């Protein structure tokens, strides 16, 4: 049974190359015929791990290809996910399973609503990858991948063991929402501040009172949502992540530096309306979003 990977960027490239290398049938879905021609001209997908770069000649196609899709890995950015799934919806088999790799929250529900018959599994990953050039991905950091089902299904998909055997650091969770919310909270406390201060994660150690104020509001939000375990020790973990990733540029800062849209709508933009509905005051998070939007606008980038 073939895998399809839609979104041959950093994370999609990493997943596709590892599946192909492990002997799994896998096909890339590229946006259009121009991208497909560019991909074919390069001879395949390059993956660099440490000092070693390998070329993997994965087959690729456009969304219009005729073959049915049974297992799909959706690896585009959150803001592209709905349009991307719509482009292949007609090709999904009735029993199709879709693995959503998007960071933040909001896009997963939007995708699931577009394809109500498919099983949409959600992933929360702390692995790192970036694009050296088009179709050349660099594996940039080990991590952990949690996979779960929104409906609290206790049945992992049959292919979870395959991923483990191939060396994917995957674990099943019955509460993926709590994992995604915890990561969202960590990203809300770190990523926008790195953009506003124009700094690597570690330099936020000079702004720990700002971080603490954000963590207090995020903790209150998670608790009010009934996600107390996801709220526990949030500030300590944020400080630990800042220390452990001190030399990294956050994904949001990298987006801004590359002149790309950020995923803020799926982070602060997802959390703040929920805080509002719960009548929770979140002045620091609100001000953070406003300052970030101003900075994005100054740089000519979308505010959402
Ligand atoms: P990316 O920009 O490197 O790759 C996304 C790819 O999707 C691009 O190649 C883009 O052309 C493609 N795409 C978008 N719309 C498409 C469409 N309609 N049809 C075909 N292709 C389409 O992004 P990324 O860094 O791989 O991130 C993907 C998601 O994973 C994001 O939500 C990100 O936050 C999350 N994530 C990334 C990392 C990482 O280290 N890169 C780590 C954790 C989570
Ligand atoms: O996930 C991250 C991101 O940059 O999006 C952190 C944890 C902040 C590491 O950089």
């Amino acid at each position: 049974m073939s895998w399809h990977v839609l979104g041959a960027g950093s994370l999609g490239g990493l997943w596709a190359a590892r599946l192909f290398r492990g002997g799994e049938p896998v096909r890339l879905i590229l946006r259009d015929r121009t991208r497909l021609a560019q991909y074919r001209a390069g001879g395949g997908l390059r993956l660099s791990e440490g000092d070693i770069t390998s070329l993997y000649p994965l087959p690729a196609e456009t969304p219009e290809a005729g073959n049915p899709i049974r297992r799909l890995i959706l690896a585009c950015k959150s803001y592209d996910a709905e349009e991307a799934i719509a482009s292949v919806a007609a090709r999904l088999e009735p029993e199709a399973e879709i693995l959503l790799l998007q960071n933040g929250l909001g896009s997963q529900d939007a995708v699931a609503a577009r394809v109500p018959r498919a099983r949409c599994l959600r992933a929360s990953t702390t692995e790192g990858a970036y694009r050296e050039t088009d179709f050349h991905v660099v594996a940039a950091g080990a991590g952990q991948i949690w996979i779960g089902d929104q409906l609290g299904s206790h049945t992992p998909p049959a292919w979870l063991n395959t991923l483990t055997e191939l060396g994917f650091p995957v674990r099943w969770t019955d509460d993926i929402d709590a994992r995604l919310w915890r990561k969202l909270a960590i990203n809300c406390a770190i990523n926008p501040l790195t953009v506003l201060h124009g700094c690597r994660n570690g330099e936020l150690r000079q702004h720990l009172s700002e971080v603490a104020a954000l963590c207090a509001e995020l903790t209150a939000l998670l608790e009010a949502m009934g996600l107390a375990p996801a709220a526990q020790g949030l500030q300590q973990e944020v400080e630990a992540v800042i220390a452990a990733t001190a030399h990294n540029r956050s994904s949001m800062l990298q987006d801004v530096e590359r002149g790309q849209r950020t995923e803020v709508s799926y982070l602060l933009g997802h959390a703040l309306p929920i805080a509002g509905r719960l009548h929770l005051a979140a002045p620091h998070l609100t001000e953070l979003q406003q300052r970030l939007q101003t900075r994005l606008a100054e740089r000519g980038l979308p505010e959402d």
Side-chain angles (χ1 to χ4, degrees):
M1 199 181 295
S2 190
W3 297 86
H4 283 83
V5 177
L6 197 166
S10 316
L11 216 50
L14 180 67
W15 276 68
R18 287 193 299 200
L19 286 168
F20 183 81
R21 178 170 69 191
E24 288 288 300
V26 51
R27 302 182 71 80
L28 294 174
I29 302 179
L30 305 178
R31 199 186 287 271
D32 52 32
R33 299 195 72 77
T34 308
R35 292 285 289 164
L36 186 59
Q38 288 165 349
Y39 171 75
R40 286 184 175 153
L45 194 60
R46 282 175 175 74
L47 174 63
S48 295
E49 290 164 294
D51 293 338
I52 298 169
T53 298
S54 309
L55 174 65
Y56 298 107
L58 278 84
E61 61 197 33
T62 63
E64 292 75 33
N67 57 316
I69 298 173
R70 175 68 192 263
R71 285 180 191 164
L72 177 69
I73 297 172
L74 194 67
C76 55
K77 296 276 197 181
S78 311
Y79 47 76
D80 282 327
E82 231 184 307
E83 195 184 320
I85 200 66
S87 74
V88 294
R91 292 174 55 193
L92 294 174
E93 286 186 9
E95 305 292 305
E97 291 171 310
I98 305 173
L99 181 59
L100 304 170
L101 296 186
Q102 287 64 46
N103 205 10
L105 277 154
S107 70
Q108 299 89 343
D109 284 344
V111 168
R114 285 261 182 175
V115 286
R117 288 196 304 165
R119 184 181 190 196
C120 288
L121 295 152
R122 294 142 195 253
S124 176
T125 174
T126 54
E127 288 199 293
Y130 65 88
R131 266 184 293 174
E132 183 74 29
T133 55
D134 274 358
F135 310 119
H136 180 177
V137 176
V138 180
Q144 179 76 58
I145 306 159
W146 289 96
I147 294 179
D149 195 320
Q150 180 208 14
L151 304 171
S153 155
H154 299 285
T155 319
W159 40 260
L160 200 75
N161 284 339
T162 309
L163 294 183
T164 307
E165 284 159 15
L166 294 181
F168 283 79
V170 282
R171 303 266 299 271
W172 177 257
T173 171
D174 288 337
D175 198 356
I176 188 68
D177 264 12
R179 296 266 168 200
L180 284 163
W181 267 106
R182 177 73 166 198
K183 180 140 196 301
L184 178 150
I186 293 169
N187 287 142
C188 283
I190 296 177
N191 297 16
L193 283 181
T194 63
V195 174
L196 291 171
H197 293 293
C199 69
R200 291 176 192 263
N201 295 352
E203 288 164 56
L204 293 185
R205 283 179 286 207
Q206 290 153 34
H207 305 281
L208 283 184
S209 58
E210 264 184 290
V211 172
L214 298 173
C215 286
E217 292 180 5
L218 289 159
T219 299
L221 173 60
L222 294 173
E223 284 171 351
M225 290 175 65
L227 295 171
Q232 214 169 1
L234 178 66
Q235 189 182 332
Q236 288 91 320
E237 187 174 352
V238 166
E239 289 179 11
V241 170
I242 287 171
T245 63
H247 298 293
N248 293 10
R249 285 184 168 78
S250 77
S251 54
M252 190 177 278
L253 180 59
Q254 290 182 45
D255 287 338
V256 170
E257 286 176 342
R258 287 196 205 109
Q260 286 179 357
R261 185 176 171 185
T262 70
E263 295 184 302
V264 62
S265 289
Y266 302 87
L267 299 169
L268 286 169
H270 186 77
L272 279 169
I274 295 176
R277 287 200 288 278
L278 293 170
H279 305 292
L280 274 182
H284 293 93
L285 289 167
T286 305
E287 196 206 341
L288 182 72
Q289 189 187 39
Q290 286 163 355
R291 285 166 63 205
L292 180 68
Q293 286 175 330
T294 304
R295 182 64 55 88
L296 295 175
E298 281 166 7
R299 297 191 65 134
L301 293 172
E303 292 176 36
D304 65 347

